[in-house]
Amino acid sequence: MSEALLLSVIQKLDEIKELEEYYNYWDTEYYSYPELEELLKSVIKEMRKIVDIVRDKKLEERRSPNFLVCDLVDVADDALYFLKLKQYSSFSSYYDTIHGWMGEIQKQMLNLGGDESNIRSSQNVEDDVDVVGLDEDVGILISKKIIGGGEDLNNILIKGMAGIGKTTLAREIFNHPTVVDRFERRAWVSNSTYFTMKELLIKLIQQLEDPQNLHAYSLLENMDNPSLRDTLYKHLQGKRYLIVLDDMRKQMRLRSFLNALPRENNGSRLVLTSHTMHSDILVYDENVHRMKPLDSNKSWQLFLKTINHGNKLTGDNKFPMDLQHMGKQMLRKCGGLPLAIKEVGKQLAEKKVSGQSKWEQLLESVDFGSTLKLLEPFYHKLDPKLRSCFLSMAFFKEDTSLRAEKLKQIWNVVGAAEEHTCESYLDGLINESVIDVNDKGTKYSMNIVLHMLSIQKAEEGFNFEILRNNGNNRPSESPRHHRVIICSRDKFNYSTDQDNHLVSLFFHGGGYLDTSPSYWKSFDRQLRILDLEDFGLKFLPESIGTLMELRYLGLRNNYLKELPESLRCLKKLEVLDIAQNFMVEVPNIIWELRSLCHLYLSDVICRKPLKIIGALWNLKTLTYISVDNWRYERLGKNMKFKKLGIVGLDGNSDVSKILVSLRQLSFINHLILRGYRFRSMPCLDELVILDNLRTLKLDGLLSRLPRFPPYIGSLTLVNSCLDKDPMPLLRNLPSLHYLKLRNAYTGQEMEILKHGFPKLRVLCMEELWNLRNVQCGQGRIQDLSPP
């Protein structure tokens, strides 16, 4: 069967290859005529290799190769269909998929071994497991998405990282009495390592058929995929159905599967659980349920339920409640992840049953190795392009919030991502549930258990190590490229062993860094990243200037009083971050750092005006520069400014000239203007001329709102103290999707009028001390919900 299917596709490809009329209309944006011909030849060649594998009788007798071939034929037929319709962009996408798909099929065919059951059974969704803290999630999903949500066939995604309880939540919904009563047909299919579309269709049909009239398995197995889709469609037609696809791989092509689902307006639902969005299934944002970790109380409840469930703990062996505080401290390392909490509970129960240790000793010696082992499949499912970014998360402190700019800059310097791909990689990690973004969209974080996994994998394959400044460990014998040093408050003990191979060096903790010039010289001009953010550093040595290859220097949030003159030697430095060092003296040497792209300043002391504007032509980010240092007459159209922050504006500032000068900058899209406390900012009506501006923050007293740029998408007003309601004006900004008001309005009444804010997604209001009443009309604002 498999051989015949493949040969039929090869024949179709041969026929297409010979029809030059298809190429006459070929869009050269995708492939030229010779490129397309070579592509078809390579596909035919690879398919013939698969035919040779299938001809092996041992493989032909087994089901999995047949299932894999059916899927390949499905994808190839779709590609040919789009080619014949001259929909070349869709055709190109399918052919790119076919190349990867054939390689995967060959690998899976050749690696299949051992006895094979008729078909892998679906997970038993009736299994009794420990469930804690899901009542609210169940209620919201059933009332608003499953029962509510209209009569159209809705696609619903339960999204989150591995081990967070997606399957458990879906099971609670699937078996809920209200859901059982509502849906005439229900089916549940779980993913597996070699899961195929054919297997998916067979499992669904077997669950949806009348038990008295089940197809014989052999009959279903001998059907091709289109016939199986027709059979599934007939079983669902005219019925209200609920289908759950649990842990679906994003690589599986599901477009053809969707054609097997009737789209009658009867309230049917398709529910997916996954750590990522699936490109083939459209899920509107309001139908994505993002799961969050358990809080400390729910974590504790799940821990107690796990440790007492099915274990032989009796009498004095039971967990003593007087150790609750110690137990909760230990559970903090689980990061609210149910998988980790359950694994730790089982581990402790097993050790206690053996009677080897006291509870205090067990709590102090919890091993997360088994938990990380369970999370490894999550790591291997990641897009290979994102894995280096995932591994580099090991550089940062656990359970901390990170700025997007810093993440992207570090990735770029270590080679995990090119500058033009950093933004998409950041979005990719969010989409894959690797990192979370806060409600304001400004800070990013990683679950503490996933952070442990990133450290483990980085130590295994990223030339990474962690050293603690307590004398208990030394650098690895093999050269390492990336190192984190965790310091205590004691004197820094350091070694120069293997330092000449280091590319990046991060310091955590500590605060006292007393090093000799030889320490910095030991890096042998290889070090590119030096990050001391939040370290409590008071002094930066002159010998820092010996790091000639340094590209990133992070000194944010320390106690530095001055920067050494030797910084002028860092000619390759691209990022200099000295923000949040209160009243740090900066010598007039910044202008000599000609490679500088991102400069972060705040509360700096300059004995002479800083020469920046007109000197640093590669500068893309500058926050914050005093209005007294802004040399707008030196601006040129070739300057690359994208983000700019200017401070010290007051009524005497010639802001009109500043804003007119900014119009010369072709790339600027993010502007921050900050005034003095208790002083009014000048009139800012000239802002309207900045057509490219997308993000704007105004921090200071305003007598009235200015005229805003037409395409502003993100607006923050801080300390504006407006006495007139700003909403009637702001609601008319057509592209506004983020609005934050902090101490921006002193009135008691606010009115959000009908049909205002057409694209608003985030509204944050803080410190509006006098506000007593907010009147909301119909429109986009009603769709917003509290976090």
Side-chain angles (χ1 to χ4, degrees):
M1 174 184 173
S2 296
E3 182 179 348
L5 286 172
L6 285 168
L7 289 174
S8 68
V9 174
I10 291 173
Q11 182 179 356
K12 293 176 185 177
L13 290 171
D14 275 324
E15 291 172 357
I16 290 290
K17 186 166 62 69
E18 299 301 325
L19 292 177
E20 188 174 337
E21 63 185 274
Y22 282 114
Y23 306 129
N24 292 337
Y25 300 96
W26 188 252
D27 190 339
T28 56
E29 180 182 352
Y30 298 100
Y31 292 104
S32 65
Y33 173 87
E35 288 173 333
L36 179 62
E37 187 176 26
E38 287 303 312
L39 176 63
L40 290 172
K41 286 180 179 178
S42 67
V43 170
I44 292 171
K45 180 180 179 181
E46 291 301 314
M47 280 199 171
R48 293 195 184 280
K49 288 182 181 179
I50 297 177
V51 170
D52 292 338
I53 298 173
V54 170
R55 282 175 178 163
D56 185 319
K57 290 183 180 180
K58 292 181 180 179
L59 285 177
E60 182 61 28
E61 292 169 357
R62 297 171 61 207
R63 294 178 175 84
S64 289
N66 286 325
F67 291 172
L68 293 166
V69 168
C70 284
D71 278 15
L72 173 60
V73 170
D74 236 9
V75 176
D77 279 341
D78 283 342
L80 290 168
Y81 170 79
F82 283 113
L83 176 59
K84 291 178 179 179
L85 290 180
K86 299 184 177 66
Q87 294 182 9
Y88 301 126
S89 60
S90 298
F91 170 78
S92 173
S93 172
Y94 267 101
Y95 259 82
D96 290 343
T97 301
I98 287 173
H99 266 297
W101 195 257
M102 286 191 298
E104 182 69 15
I105 286 178
Q106 288 186 51
K107 181 177 70 176
Q108 290 183 13
M109 281 182 167
L110 295 174
N111 288 341
L112 286 170
D115 294 333
E116 184 178 20
S117 60
N118 284 345
I119 192 166
R120 288 176 288 277
S121 60
S122 296
Q123 178 178 330
N124 185 357
V125 297
E126 308 293 338
D127 287 346
D128 181 29
V129 297
D130 296 323
V131 179
V132 168
L134 292 179
D135 292 345
E136 183 178 351
D137 298 78
V138 170
I140 290 174
L141 273 168
I142 289 180
S143 63
K144 294 187 177 182
K145 312 299 180 188
I146 304 296
I147 305 300
E151 293 301 309
D152 293 339
L153 171 60
N154 275 348
N155 303 326
I156 299 165
L157 174 63
I158 300 175
K159 185 175 182 291
M161 65 170 285
I164 204 165
K166 302 183 297 295
T167 299
T168 304
L169 175 57
R171 181 178 53 247
E172 291 293 297
I173 292 169
F174 189 85
N175 292 325
H176 196 279
T178 304
V179 173
V180 173
D181 290 341
R182 179 172 176 79
F183 294 95
E184 300 172 74
R185 294 284 187 269
R186 292 182 306 131
W188 175 293
V189 180
S190 293
N191 189 22
S192 58
T193 306
Y194 298 130
F195 200 71
T196 64
M197 176 58 65
K198 183 166 185 175
E199 193 170 351
L200 167 67
L201 294 169
I202 290 175
K203 285 184 177 182
L204 287 174
I205 292 170
Q206 288 186 313
Q207 291 183 66
L208 294 168
E209 276 195 319
D210 186 331
Q212 304 300 321
N213 188 34
L214 283 174
H215 275 84
Y217 176 78
S218 58
L219 178 61
L220 294 174
E221 184 195 22
N222 289 325
M223 290 184 180
D224 60 13
N225 284 14
S227 299
L228 289 170
R229 285 195 291 271
D230 289 342
T231 301
L232 178 61
Y233 187 93
K234 291 175 183 178
H235 284 308
L236 296 175
Q237 192 173 19
K239 303 291 192 298
R240 181 186 291 135
Y241 57 87
L242 170 67
I243 294 177
V244 177
L245 304 182
D246 181 37
D247 194 24
M248 282 296 103
R249 291 182 301 148
K250 65 179 181 181
Q251 293 87 352
M252 179 178 284
R253 285 275 179 176
L254 292 174
R255 293 180 188 176
S256 59
F257 164 73
L258 294 178
N259 294 330
L261 302 182
R263 297 200 166 266
E264 299 156 324
N265 294 330
N266 60 3
S268 295
R269 300 289 182 258
L270 173 62
V271 177
L272 295 92
T273 73
S274 179
H275 66 281
T276 184
M277 304 289 286
H278 199 292
S279 60
D280 287 346
I281 298 184
L282 175 63
V283 181
Y284 295 107
D285 192 62
E286 56 266 26
N287 284 337
V288 178
H289 185 83
R290 295 173 175 84
M291 296 198 66
K292 297 180 179 180
L294 300 177
D295 61 28
S296 59
N297 290 330
K298 291 176 182 176
S299 295
W300 180 246
Q301 293 173 28
L302 181 59
F303 172 72
L304 290 180
K305 195 170 183 178
T306 303
I307 206 167
N308 293 322
H309 178 76
N311 297 307
K312 300 176 181 179
L313 297 178
T314 59
D316 294 339
N317 276 349
K318 285 191 174 181
F319 190 86
M321 295 308 295
D322 59 344
L323 292 180
Q324 179 174 339
H325 177 72
M326 187 176 181
K328 285 188 173 182
Q329 287 293 108
M330 179 275 298
L331 284 180
R332 291 178 61 184
K333 298 179 181 179
C334 295
L337 193 66
L339 174 73
I341 296 168
K342 292 179 181 180
E343 191 65 21
V344 165
K346 292 174 184 177
Q347 177 189 139
L348 292 176
E350 290 172 0
K351 289 183 178 180
K352 190 60 183 175
V353 168
S354 67
Q356 296 178 354
S357 305
K358 296 181 179 180
W359 278 113
E360 292 91 335
Q361 295 171 324
L362 292 175
L363 290 173
E364 291 174 350
S365 61
V366 169
D367 180 14
F368 285 89
S370 58
T371 300
L372 299 184
K373 190 71 175 177
L374 292 173
L375 284 175
E376 279 201 13
F378 177 73
Y379 168 73
H380 292 297
K381 287 179 183 178
L382 289 180
D383 188 323
K385 294 183 295 185
L386 300 178
R387 287 179 189 166
S388 293
C389 296
F390 173 82
L391 297 179
S392 69
M393 297 300 290
F395 301 159
F396 308 108
K397 296 178 183 177
E398 64 181 31
D399 201 22
T400 191
S401 295
L402 297 162
R403 303 179 309 282
E405 291 173 327
K406 180 173 183 176
L407 280 173
K408 291 185 285 187
Q409 289 158 6
I410 295 294
W411 293 343
N412 183 32
V413 175
V414 300
E418 298 293 334
E419 184 176 8
H420 66 279
T421 62
C422 284
E423 187 69 35
S424 63
Y425 283 16
L426 183 63
D427 292 339
L429 289 182
I430 296 171
N431 183 43
E432 299 263 12
S433 302
V434 172
I435 58 178
D436 296 316
V437 58
N438 65 4
D439 296 313
K440 300 175 184 178
T442 55
K443 295 292 181 68
Y444 300 82
S445 60
M446 174 183 272
N447 185 277
I448 189 171
V449 181
L450 207 55
H451 186 259
M452 292 183 200
L453 182 65
S454 72
I455 291 175
Q456 182 188 82
K457 292 300 178 184
E459 289 176 334
E460 291 174 358
F462 204 53
N463 282 319
F464 171 78
E465 66 181 356
I466 296 180
L467 300 181
R468 299 183 182 275
N469 183 37
N470 55 15
N472 294 331
N473 59 357
R474 293 179 61 81
S476 169
E477 293 182 2
S478 59
R480 297 290 177 175
H481 293 161
H482 312 287
R483 179 183 297 167
V484 167
I485 297 179
I486 301 177
C487 295
S488 65
R489 292 290 175 181
D490 299 327
K491 183 176 180 180
F492 175 56
N493 297 314
Y494 58 89
S495 168
T496 59
D497 294 345
Q498 305 293 353
D499 286 351
N500 57 343
H501 294 278
L502 278 182
V503 173
S504 63
L505 179 60
F506 294 76
F507 284 87
H508 297 168
Y512 184 71
L513 189 61
D514 182 16
T515 56
S516 68
S518 62
Y519 177 71
W520 300 109
K521 291 178 181 178
S522 68
F523 295 110
D524 195 27
R525 298 190 177 188
Q526 294 296 316
L527 197 67
R528 298 181 185 178
I529 297 175
L530 176 60
D531 187 43
L532 290 146
E533 183 171 340
D534 300 328
F535 190 69
L537 193 66
K538 296 180 180 179
F539 171 74
L540 194 65
E542 282 283 341
S543 50
I544 203 78
T546 62
L547 305 177
M548 306 294 289
E549 295 295 320
L550 205 64
R551 292 170 57 187
Y552 181 100
L553 180 56
L555 301 171
R556 180 180 290 245
N557 196 28
N558 282 290
Y559 302 105
L560 295 173
K561 295 301 180 185
E562 62 179 353
L563 295 183
E565 294 268 354
S566 63
L567 281 183
R568 60 166 29 109
C569 300
L570 306 181
K571 301 299 185 183
K572 295 185 179 182
L573 196 65
E574 297 174 8
V575 181
L576 176 59
D577 188 351
I578 57 173
Q580 300 178 24
N581 283 272
F582 184 67
M583 304 306 287
V584 58
E585 183 173 340
V586 179
N588 193 22
I589 48 91
I590 301 294
W591 65 274
E592 299 183 46
L593 306 177
R594 301 297 178 140
S595 298
L596 209 58
C597 297
H598 307 281
L599 176 60
Y600 302 94
L601 310 169
S602 62
D603 297 319
V604 299
I605 300 173
C606 309
R607 298 189 183 278
K608 296 181 180 179
L610 289 179
K611 293 171 58 179
I612 296 177
I613 309 304
L616 301 178
W617 291 92
N618 292 315
L619 206 58
K620 299 176 183 178
T621 305
L622 175 56
T623 60
Y624 295 91
I625 184 171
S626 167
V627 67
D628 297 328
N629 282 324
W630 182 251
R631 296 292 183 264
Y632 49 79
E633 70 275 4
R634 297 185 182 178
L635 290 179
K637 291 184 178 180
N638 295 326
M639 296 199 74
K640 299 178 181 179
F641 275 120
K642 291 185 177 181
K643 181 178 180 180
L644 174 65
I646 302 178
V647 298
L649 295 172
D650 61 16
N652 297 320
S653 303
D654 195 347
V655 72
S656 178
K657 286 187 176 181
I658 294 174
L659 295 177
V660 169
S661 69
L662 293 181
R663 195 178 188 183
Q664 303 176 48
L665 303 177
S666 304
F667 302 100
I668 189 165
N669 57 36
H670 190 154
L671 179 63
I672 305 167
L673 299 177
R674 180 181 295 169
Y676 288 102
R677 192 174 184 183
F678 306 125
R679 293 192 205 175
S680 292
M681 294 179 70
C683 176
L684 300 175
D685 280 343
E686 296 289 345
L687 281 169
V688 73
I689 67 175
L690 302 181
D691 294 342
N692 294 330
L693 212 58
R694 298 295 182 269
T695 301
L696 176 64
K697 179 178 179 179
L698 302 179
D699 185 349
L701 289 171
L702 295 174
S703 59
R704 62 176 177 82
L705 286 178
R707 297 167 60 199
F708 291 109
Y711 303 111
I712 200 74
S714 175
L715 176 63
T716 301
L717 300 177
V718 180
N719 299 322
S720 306
C721 297
L722 296 163
D723 55 13
K724 186 177 180 180
D725 185 0
M727 291 305 190
L729 177 60
L730 298 179
R731 77 182 185 94
N732 294 318
L733 296 175
S735 302
L736 192 65
H737 59 81
Y738 176 91
L739 174 61
K740 179 179 179 179
L741 305 175
R742 179 160 65 86
N743 191 26
Y745 174 49
T746 59
Q748 297 184 11
E749 304 284 335
M750 180 178 286
E751 186 177 24
I752 303 175
L753 302 177
K754 184 178 181 180
H755 302 310
F757 300 101
K759 294 188 178 181
L760 194 65
R761 298 181 63 186
V762 177
L763 172 60
C764 180
M765 297 193 295
E766 302 174 352
E767 301 177 22
L768 304 184
W769 307 115
N770 298 326
L771 190 61
R772 298 293 182 268
N773 183 29
V774 178
Q775 297 181 12
C776 292
Q778 295 180 349
R780 177 64 179 169
I781 196 70
Q782 287 189 326
D783 296 333
L784 300 179
S785 58

